[in-house]
Amino acid sequence: MTLHTIELDASSWKTAQDFRLALKAAIGAPEWHGEIVGAFLDSIFGGGMNTLKPPYVIKVVNTTNLVPEVKEMVSDFSSAIAETRARRLARVGEDVEVRLEIEN
């Protein structure tokens, strides 16, 4: 399977909501998709909801000028994806190949 790369340009983000909206659009989440981390993890790892299917990597670029709160949220979300992926692999033996990388 081909690993898709989705690039999110953070240069205009001012709030965490800007990140969440960009992420929802990138993964093809339905309009009614929740906005907490758990909702994203469920839809990414549970499957069937988003139009974008694994495997994929989300690269967040142009993060140099992000306010600390948004930068921290993106970093925490990246860690949550990695942890959920590892737990799922250990628990059910399935590797859902999804990553979120942060670049400047």
Side-chain angles (χ1 to χ4, degrees), residues 18-75:
D18 294 331
F19 165 67
R20 289 189 293 264
L21 290 173
L23 181 59
K24 283 171 76 170
I27 64 175
E31 190 174 309
W32 49 264
H33 191 285
E35 295 193 353
I36 63 171
V37 172
F40 282 102
L41 296 175
D42 286 347
S43 72
I44 290 169
F45 289 95
M49 181 183 301
N50 303 324
T51 57
L52 181 64
K53 308 294 185 220
Y56 59 86
V57 59
I58 299 166
K59 291 188 179 189
V60 181
V61 299
N62 299 318
T63 61
T64 305
N65 295 321
L66 282 179
V67 296
E69 298 82 30
V70 177
K71 195 175 273 192
E72 182 177 351
M73 183 200 182
V74 173
S75 178

